[in-house]
Amino acid sequence: MARVDTGRLHVLGVRHHGPGSARSVGVELERVRPELVLIEGPPEADALVGLVGELAPPVSLLAYVPDEPSRAAFWPLAAFSPEWVALRYAARHGVEVRFCDLPAAHTLAGHGPAEPAVPQQPGRPEPDAEGGGDGAGAAGAPCPGRAVADPLAVLAEAAGYDDPERWWEDAVEGRAAVPPDASACSGAASSPFPAIAEAMAAVRAESGARPTAAAATREARREAHMRRVLRKAMRSVAGPVAVVCGAWHVPALLEHPRVSEDTALLRGLPKTKVAATWIPWTHGRLASASGYGAGVRSPGWYHHLFTAPDRPVERWLAEAGRRLRAMDQPVSSAHVIEAVRLTETLAALRGRPAAGLDEVADAAESVLCEGARTRAHLLHREMALGERMGAVSEHTPQIPLQRDLAAQQRRLRLPPRAQERELDLDLREETGRRRSALLHRLRLLGVDWGTAREGSVRARGTFRESWRLLWRPELDLRLIEAGVWGTTVEAAAAARARSSAADADLPGLTALAEQCLHADLGGAIGTVVSALRARAAEDADIEQLMAALPPLARSVRYGDVRRSDSAALQGVASQLLARIRAGLAAAVAGLGDDAAAATVDAVDGVHEAALLLGGDDEAAWLSALEQVAVQESAPGRVCGRANRILHDSGRLDGTALAARLSRAASRGTPAARTAHWIEGFLAGSGLLLVHDTALLGVVDRWLAGLGAEAFTEALPLLRRTFGAFADAERRAIGDSARTRGASGTADDVGVDSRRCAPAVATAAGLLGLAAAGPEPGG
């Protein structure tokens, strides 16, 4: 090993997304005034550094394989990231910047689409093959000759800490801010980088040789490439060179092996074509809770520490008080003062050099929220995350599909935001229809920017849609993936729909037709309808036909609302309904209980579809149901449901219905079939029994006439039926039954008052009415 001459080389070991590290990097760069800055990151991004002055963090470098965009890697940067501070310094002072990590062309060549390459957390080694992670590991000294999964844990233990995150915050992130224009002398005196380099060298030396696992090999290759870039940089400039990299890599850049050894490590690496760009990022995706291996627990707190000019604890608690007052909570200045004092006391009791987020959170809960844990938790989560979304400039490299979407977002006044928001659209207005079409087109492309509220798109007779909008950084990658379908959102969605129609089954085709109408894709609906007509002519499965009709009927119904032509779908829908009518009676014969339950749901869906189609289609469907309603081989659930639909449609009057129910509840009919008939008849609403006392009487007499065994068999089915009713419906049915009993109808079913007396007395006792005693003659 040969040690590099550090006279003009300054290796700044940092932790990714660390405000203390970022602040120290800014001070050190001002002191050193380097001629060239090297930053740990993909060299493919060298051409993008000129855009740094036009970006608003958080942003992320995105490298992807153009022919297979799902193979991608992200390098997120926040305002408090040391790498971002270095980039901003170079942009302000006109200093050359190069990225020095292993090219993404190599790293992405070895990853499949299900395993995107993600950089590990700087300052910690890449996880080994035995499961070592790049998150906080358990404290403990490394075993000689084994990898150190978490060097911070080793250093924290040496310092007497049981939490490596807290040690790093106390030692580095919580360092007092140094003014940017501080003298070189004071900057040098306060620089933490020599100590960090020494500490990491000790940890690496104690860990011994790295194992030959794949992860260790990747790390060795990364460091070999960094050294190669560093050697070239030192030859290309005569002035100082600064390197901003993960603290773990500092010893590897200061102690150089022979060039031949690095060349051997890098020889023969796989390579692929890679494109790179900037994309907006969010604090939510910087948080470790999102699954990001290099994430931090509280990006909002770190952003505050980095941007607060002075007194960060006081400013944080003052902001917490302001937010609580906005929620109508009585928080005064005295509360904030006492909370600040409590943070200082807690920090002293816990042996911390300064109050951190834990102390601030405890003080906010105890003083500002007066012990209300739920309120404090919501406040802490909102502030500690500090959700914000970055922005990129119009000069940032983008594919045509991204540019088209950005233009439409500006035109429709729908800016992407990291916070979830509600959007209500009136489809009678041009702007509402265009916004709806854009959101539906993006969903066809797999870009789920908007999520439709349940029922808002499919509800019958409405001109409104309700959406929840939330832009996530990974949607940019999905846009890039969707770029293969076209250069505009409309063209790409239409091409995707035409491609999907080739392989979709019948229900899938009808759902696709519905999506095309919602998305106003006139160029694709013809292809989908042709495929739908051909598939409908071939498909003989009644279940498939019944599942396919409802979305198709909705498409016919809502073509007018969105001013789209759905006439082509009307004939296909009528054709499907005719085939369902012809095969319904045979399809329901002899079904089991489980299959009957699914068929009832399908019948309800087809009935809704027939109502949407209207006219002759609706009348013909009701005629088909009349045949099923009296079919002896049909399950009880299906017969009961058919009779209920006929009654609600005016095809079956009360007298005829009571007669059919009486036959279904006759003594010769098994109790289970009768219970299923009633279940199918009453599914969804039991108010019919309240308003039609004749039907209630039939059910009442049937129940009273059951023997013990039959009653036991039917009871669970009836409990399931009546249990699905609303409380008000059950109460109304009970009141109606009690009214019948009071009028003497109860005598018809043979109620024995003497035998009922013990049960009545027990119920009265439970209700606290025992003191009143039984009524005379009871």
Side-chain angles (χ1 to χ4, degrees):
M1 289 284 183
R3 186 170 180 83
V4 177
D5 179 13
T6 57
R8 61 189 184 96
L9 173 63
H10 304 270
V11 182
L12 312 182
V14 300
R15 183 193 182 195
H16 205 36
H17 312 316
S21 296
R23 194 159 42 238
S24 297
V25 164
V27 171
E28 190 71 2
L29 292 177
E30 292 287 351
R31 183 186 72 84
V32 172
R33 298 285 178 172
E35 187 176 344
L36 174 64
V37 177
L38 300 180
I39 298 176
E40 183 180 334
E44 289 86 353
D46 286 349
L48 302 174
V49 296
L51 298 171
V52 167
E54 305 175 24
L55 308 179
V59 293
S60 177
L61 283 168
L62 166 64
Y64 63 94
V65 179
D67 295 334
E68 195 177 349
S70 58
R71 293 166 61 185
F74 302 91
W75 284 263
L77 298 172
F80 49 85
S81 298
E83 296 87 348
W84 179 256
V85 171
L87 287 169
R88 291 290 296 159
Y89 169 85
R92 288 196 308 269
H93 294 83
V95 175
E96 183 182 359
V97 177
R98 300 176 194 169
F99 288 97
C100 61
D101 205 347
L102 192 66
H106 297 311
T107 58
L108 292 180
H111 289 78
E115 300 177 294
V118 179
Q120 84 284 359
Q121 181 166 333
R124 299 182 181 185
E126 192 166 334
D128 60 31
E130 296 180 358
D134 49 30
C143 298
R146 295 199 60 185
V148 178
D150 189 356
L152 297 189
V154 178
L155 296 173
E157 185 186 32
Y161 283 72
D162 59 359
D163 184 354
E165 297 286 340
R166 175 170 291 189
W167 171 79
W168 184 266
E169 289 185 11
D170 288 349
V172 180
E173 306 305 343
R175 291 168 50 86
V178 180
D181 58 352
S183 67
C185 219
S186 66
S190 63
S191 175
F193 299 113
I196 291 175
E198 184 178 352
M200 288 300 168
V203 173
R204 288 178 70 117
E206 184 180 356
S207 68
R210 298 282 298 175
T212 57
T217 302
R218 287 197 300 270
E219 186 177 326
R221 286 171 174 167
R222 292 179 61 216
E223 293 177 344
H225 189 273
M226 290 182 192
R227 289 190 292 266
R228 172 185 284 183
V229 175
L230 179 56
R231 292 187 190 103
K232 182 178 179 181
M234 296 291 286
R235 292 193 301 268
S236 65
V237 298
V241 175
V243 182
V244 180
C245 65
W248 175 261
H249 303 299
V250 172
L253 298 185
L254 293 177
E255 299 285 348
H256 278 204
R258 289 194 298 270
V259 175
S260 59
E261 295 180 16
D262 287 344
T263 303
L265 273 173
L266 298 173
R267 185 181 296 116
L269 289 180
K271 191 173 182 179
T272 186
K273 184 179 179 181
V274 167
T277 187
W278 292 104
I279 63 170
W281 207 251
T282 66
H283 274 183
R285 283 294 185 268
L286 285 170
S288 53
S290 69
Y292 173 36
V296 295
R297 287 184 294 189
S298 307
W301 169 250
Y302 274 9
H303 181 85
H304 174 77
L305 285 180
F306 185 71
T307 56
D310 59 359
R311 299 182 179 276
V313 171
E314 289 85 344
R315 293 178 183 275
W316 180 272
L317 290 171
E319 172 63 15
R322 185 194 67 77
R323 296 190 183 211
L324 288 171
R325 285 191 293 274
M327 295 185 286
D328 296 328
Q329 300 299 320
V331 178
S332 65
S333 299
H335 284 88
V336 176
I337 294 171
E338 288 303 317
V340 172
R341 291 173 177 169
L342 181 55
T343 61
E344 296 170 350
T345 303
L346 290 173
L349 289 173
R350 295 169 179 175
R352 303 196 66 178
L357 183 59
D358 291 340
E359 288 72 32
V360 171
D362 291 342
E365 178 180 340
S366 301
V367 181
L368 302 185
C369 298
E370 298 179 339
R373 179 165 297 181
T374 301
R375 187 191 315 158
H377 175 71
L378 294 175
L379 175 68
H380 175 76
R381 185 174 61 182
E382 178 183 349
M383 294 185 65
L385 183 62
E387 186 63 286
R388 64 180 60 227
M389 184 173 180
V392 299
S393 75
E394 60 182 9
H395 302 109
T396 303
Q398 292 180 321
I399 65 171
L401 184 61
Q402 288 176 296
R403 295 192 180 278
D404 180 65
L405 175 58
Q408 292 195 55
Q409 288 171 333
R410 290 192 296 270
R411 190 162 52 248
L412 298 176
R413 297 185 299 279
L414 276 179
R417 295 176 182 170
Q419 295 83 12
E420 186 177 277
R421 61 170 174 150
E422 303 289 336
L423 179 67
D424 291 323
L425 301 178
D426 189 339
L427 301 180
R428 295 169 295 184
E429 299 176 355
E430 180 66 22
T431 300
R433 287 193 299 273
R434 290 169 63 192
R435 286 178 169 180
S436 172
L438 175 62
L439 294 173
H440 281 292
R441 289 169 182 173
L442 290 174
R443 292 186 70 184
L444 266 170
L445 293 172
V447 183
D448 296 326
W449 177 22
T451 302
R453 277 188 177 179
E454 185 66 27
S456 69
V457 175
R458 296 184 175 184
R460 184 163 57 121
T462 180
F463 291 92
R464 309 192 71 85
E465 280 184 2
S466 296
W467 294 82
R468 291 188 182 91
L469 300 186
L470 176 64
W471 187 266
R472 304 182 304 279
E474 59 267 26
L475 295 183
D476 278 289
L477 183 57
R478 294 184 186 175
L479 269 177
I480 294 173
E481 294 175 352
V484 299
W485 298 107
T487 58
T488 66
V489 175
E490 180 179 2
R496 180 68 181 271
R498 286 192 290 266
S499 176
S500 300
D503 301 320
D505 57 11
L506 190 56
L509 281 171
T510 55
L512 185 60
E514 184 178 27
Q515 288 178 297
C516 287
L517 283 180
H518 290 169
D520 193 18
L521 296 177
I525 191 65
T527 302
V528 176
V529 170
S530 297
L532 180 60
R533 184 178 291 110
R535 194 64 54 82
E538 298 171 357
D539 204 324
D541 188 341
I542 188 70
E543 294 180 0
Q544 291 266 23
L545 296 173
M546 296 177 76
L549 182 61
L552 189 58
R554 288 193 296 266
S555 299
V556 173
R557 171 67 174 83
Y558 282 111
D560 294 335
V561 177
R562 292 175 173 79
R563 296 184 180 179
S564 56
D565 184 12
S566 60
L569 297 176
Q570 178 78 47
V572 180
S574 298
Q575 176 186 349
L576 283 182
L577 184 58
R579 298 188 63 191
I580 292 170
R581 295 197 313 267
L584 182 62
V588 300
L591 287 178
D593 290 341
D594 293 339
T599 301
V600 167
D601 293 336
V603 166
D604 284 340
V606 173
H607 179 63
E608 289 293 326
L611 293 180
L612 291 175
L613 296 175
D616 295 339
D617 289 319
E618 179 183 356
W621 165 248
L622 293 176
S623 299
L625 284 183
E626 287 179 344
Q627 178 183 354
V628 173
V630 295
Q631 184 176 338
E632 294 293 335
S633 61
R637 280 195 185 95
V638 177
C639 290
R641 196 62 191 157
N643 280 282
R644 176 61 180 269
I645 292 174
L646 292 171
H647 178 267
D648 291 345
S649 302
R651 287 290 192 100
L652 191 63
D653 60 26
T655 302
L657 178 60
R660 290 187 180 182
L661 178 55
S662 296
R663 285 197 298 272
S666 63
R667 294 184 178 275
T669 304
R673 176 178 173 81
T674 304
H676 280 133
W677 199 102
I678 295 174
E679 181 181 11
F681 180 78
L682 296 178
S685 175
L687 288 179
L688 185 59
L689 294 181
V690 178
H691 300 298
D692 195 328
T693 56
L695 293 180
L696 180 60
V698 173
V699 175
D700 194 12
R701 286 190 296 273
W702 169 69
L703 272 175
L706 290 177
E709 184 176 347
F711 181 80
T712 302
E713 182 182 3
L715 182 59
L717 300 175
L718 293 174
R719 290 186 62 182
R720 182 173 64 189
T721 302
F722 284 83
F725 298 158
D727 292 343
E729 291 182 350
R730 292 199 300 269
R731 190 180 305 111
I733 292 173
D735 291 342
S736 180
R738 185 166 52 253
T739 301
R740 291 185 68 258
S743 64
T745 312
D747 294 339
D748 297 338
V749 295
V751 176
D752 191 332
S753 300
R754 181 179 60 79
R755 295 179 60 190
C756 290
V760 172
T762 300
L766 292 174
L767 296 173
L769 304 175
E775 294 181 1

